[in-house]
Amino acid sequence: NAGVMQNPRHLVRRRGQEARLRCSPMKGHSHVYWYRQLPEEGLKFMVYLQKENIIDESGMPKERFSAEFPKEGPSILRIQQVVRGDSAAYFCASSSRLAASYNEQFFGPGTRLTVL
Amino acid sequence: AQSVTQLDSQVPVFEEAPVELRCNYSSSVSVYLFWYVQYPNQGLQLLLKYLSGSTLVKGINGFEAEFNKSQTSFHLRKPSVHISDTAEYFCAVSLPQGAQKLVFGQGTRLTINP
């Protein structure tokens, strides 16, 4: 049973470009969470999605950031017009319905975004 | 709102020595508590969790943690560390109900010296 998959693992963008980060949850998991880790800091919650629904986006910046988890395919975190401050590691976590009941989340390896 | 403070940003210890990584939390309601480990360039792996019941929780790799409600602490301990325990350790909390975000501390970098 493969774990949470994220790609790309490393992404370099120039200021003003768009970044698309993909997350494939573990098989059978329908809950997806995105977190951001800035250098030398802990992880900060961004958004929580279930299939086709955004449940909690209280941690998402109001502009330029969006997330989706379609019925088919991976969850996508999209950052438009990237700025240097967006450089960070972005982690995706997933849960099954059962694991979500006690908030156990399984993390992917992360995507390290560098904005030049 | 909940918050987590990890009191030590870095902890160096010698191999086979005991270690304690400190975690304090703030919350107006009860919480679930977690410790995660992050090896270099990898994602986070769950070490252990406290949901309810016994305040001493045993996890993987010989780690354990004790929940202390009066001191709002959840310190992580290991009686004898190994070189392979070198990693970043994160304490996290969530509300005690399903499908909630995790609130993380800043992390503690554990370095094991031979």
Side-chain angles (χ1 to χ4, degrees):
Chain A
N1 188 12
V4 179
M5 311 270 287
Q6 289 188 250
N7 65 80
R9 294 290 307 274
H10 300 274
L11 182 61
V12 179
R13 286 287 177 266
R14 296 189 181 280
R15 282 179 295 168
Q17 291 184 319
E18 178 180 287
R20 278 182 178 245
L21 288 61
R22 286 178 290 278
C23 169
S24 297
M26 288 177 69
K27 187 177 181 180
H29 286 195
S30 58
H31 300 243
V32 166
Y33 308 79
W34 285 93
Y35 294 83
R36 177 165 64 175
Q37 184 180 30
L38 294 170
E40 306 301 321
E41 294 187 17
L43 280 74
K44 296 283 194 293
F45 168 79
M46 298 181 76
V47 63
Y48 161 43
L49 310 102
Q50 293 180 23
K51 285 284 187 181
E52 298 186 282
N53 287 305
I54 296 174
I55 308 301
D56 180 358
E57 55 181 349
S58 59
M60 285 279 270
K62 293 288 184 271
E63 297 178 349
R64 302 188 296 109
F65 285 72
S66 62
E68 62 177 10
F69 188 18
K71 187 176 181 181
E72 301 290 338
S75 175
I76 305 286
L77 179 67
R78 182 183 177 202
I79 312 172
Q80 295 178 289
Q81 299 174 351
V82 296
V83 300
R84 290 221 173 102
D86 297 332
S87 294
Y90 292 83
F91 289 96
C92 168
S94 72
S95 282
S96 64
R97 186 175 178 180
L98 174 62
S101 66
Y102 45 84
N103 295 330
E104 182 166 351
Q105 298 175 18
F106 298 82
F107 283 79
T111 293
R112 280 153 183 84
L113 172 65
T114 301
V115 179
L116 301 178
Chain B
Q2 295 74 45
S3 66
V4 177
T5 301
Q6 292 183 241
L7 297 162
D8 306 295
S9 59
Q10 296 188 56
V11 173
V13 296
F14 287 106
E15 195 172 14
E16 298 183 7
V19 69
E20 178 180 83
L21 305 183
R22 297 181 292 169
C23 172
N24 286 86
Y25 69 92
S26 174
S27 177
S28 57
V29 299
S30 58
V31 293
Y32 290 163
L33 293 149
F34 306 83
W35 274 100
Y36 281 86
V37 60
Q38 183 181 31
Y39 299 103
N41 297 317
Q42 294 187 28
L44 278 70
Q45 180 182 3
L46 181 66
L47 277 177
L48 48 79
K49 60 182 182 284
Y50 172 80
L51 305 180
S52 65
S54 173
T55 58
L56 183 63
V57 180
K58 293 192 183 298
I60 62 171
N61 300 343
F63 284 93
E64 64 180 32
E66 185 154 20
F67 169 56
N68 187 317
K69 188 175 181 179
S70 63
Q71 297 187 6
T72 60
S73 67
F74 190 54
H75 300 335
L76 182 71
R77 301 186 184 99
K78 186 169 182 178
S80 176
V81 295
H82 189 265
I83 291 282
S84 60
D85 293 322
T86 295
E88 189 97 19
Y89 292 79
F90 292 96
C91 181
V93 302
S94 76
L95 289 174
Q97 56 205 61
Q100 297 293 319
K101 64 186 178 186
L102 297 174
V103 176
F104 285 89
Q106 305 92 316
T108 296
R109 183 159 297 167
L110 177 63
T111 304
I112 312 299
N113 299 306

